[in-house]
Amino acid sequence: MFEMMKSGGYLMLPLLVASVLALAIILERAWTLRRRRVSPPQLLSQVWKQLQAGDMNADQLRLLQAGSPLGSLLAAGLINARHGRELTKESIEDAATPVVHEMERYLTLLGTLAMISPLLGLLGTVIGIIDAFLVVTAGGISDPTALAGGISKALVTTAGGIFVAIPAMIMHRYYLRHIQSLMVSMEQQAVKLVDMLHGDREVDVADSQRRGAGA
């Protein structure tokens, strides 16, 4: 493997760095975007029980807000509940913007790596072909080893760029879709809390939590 990478020339170094970065981002986002961490399945029922018991104070709101992305949306709704149903929903929508931004952290870089890796491989291909033609121009095909080196560089860098790009692109698209799914589920639960606070919905917290966990 090392010899193959070495045969690809100096452009294999940025491809190696890109592969390490892409893998690190994929693993970090897999841990951070776990559904149970982002949207704890029993959080809405716990919040509702605290409200009914009168235990929801400023300290509990701060803990709720810092505990999870769903908690941040619920806390925003609770803080502004006294201002009416519509303003409460608007506050939840405003709180959702930084939540989405945080959940999409590093995904721009992952998408960039998916785009530039094939270009780096293509650049290596061009350089390898140029080297091969220079060998032919300088001495014909009397030195097949040098000619093969240029061709090898062209093939290895192309393969390296595609090898990095494919999983990076797949995971980039997967995480974007996963975040959309999480946000839909969280906003639904936050709106249910608002409706329950203003008496517009029958309280069926357990059923709503099951649907949120299965989304």
Side-chain angles (χ1 to χ4, degrees):
M1 180 64 70
F2 176 76
E3 291 299 325
M4 181 180 296
M5 293 182 60
K6 185 177 178 181
S7 66
Y10 60 87
L11 279 175
M12 290 301 293
L13 180 59
L15 284 174
L16 178 61
V17 173
S19 67
V20 172
L21 283 175
L23 179 60
I25 293 171
I26 289 170
L27 294 177
E28 190 274 338
R29 288 293 90 184
W31 176 258
T32 302
L33 297 177
R34 289 171 296 145
R35 186 174 292 273
R36 294 186 66 85
R37 176 191 175 277
V38 174
S39 180
Q42 300 302 321
L43 185 59
L44 180 56
S45 62
Q46 293 171 2
V47 169
W48 185 249
K49 289 177 183 178
Q50 285 181 304
L51 288 171
Q52 290 180 314
D55 295 334
M56 186 59 70
N57 52 36
D59 290 336
Q60 291 295 330
L61 277 175
R62 282 193 291 270
L63 290 174
L64 177 64
Q65 190 172 34
S68 65
L70 174 59
S72 179
L73 299 187
L74 297 180
L78 291 173
I79 291 171
N80 295 278
R82 65 183 182 276
H83 297 305
R85 188 173 184 273
E86 293 304 319
L87 288 177
T88 304
K89 284 190 174 183
E90 288 181 10
S91 68
I92 291 173
E93 292 173 358
D94 292 340
T97 301
V99 169
V100 172
H101 184 268
E102 179 65 23
M103 292 169 67
E104 290 181 347
R105 179 186 290 186
Y106 306 129
L107 292 188
T108 298
L109 177 57
L110 183 61
T112 301
L113 293 173
M115 291 179 62
I116 66 172
S117 295
L119 296 178
L120 288 172
L122 180 60
L123 179 60
T125 300
V126 173
I127 293 174
I129 292 175
I130 291 174
D131 289 346
F133 274 109
L134 289 176
V135 170
V136 173
T137 302
I141 56 174
S142 59
D143 188 0
T145 303
L147 181 62
I151 297 175
S152 175
K153 183 185 296 185
L155 296 177
V156 170
T157 53
T158 301
I162 295 174
F163 180 79
V164 175
I166 289 176
M169 184 174 295
I170 290 174
M171 296 309 297
H172 178 259
R173 292 181 180 273
Y174 166 77
Y175 284 135
L176 289 178
R177 182 67 183 87
H178 183 58
I179 289 171
Q180 290 178 352
S181 175
L182 289 173
M183 287 307 303
V184 169
S185 174
M186 289 191 294
E187 288 177 354
Q188 287 177 344
Q189 293 188 62
V191 169
K192 286 175 184 176
L193 177 62
V194 174
D195 291 342
M196 289 187 293
L197 288 171
H198 292 278
D200 297 330
R201 182 187 294 268
E202 294 293 331
V203 179
D204 190 2
V205 176
D207 180 64
S208 69
Q209 288 296 337
R210 286 194 296 271
R211 288 198 297 269

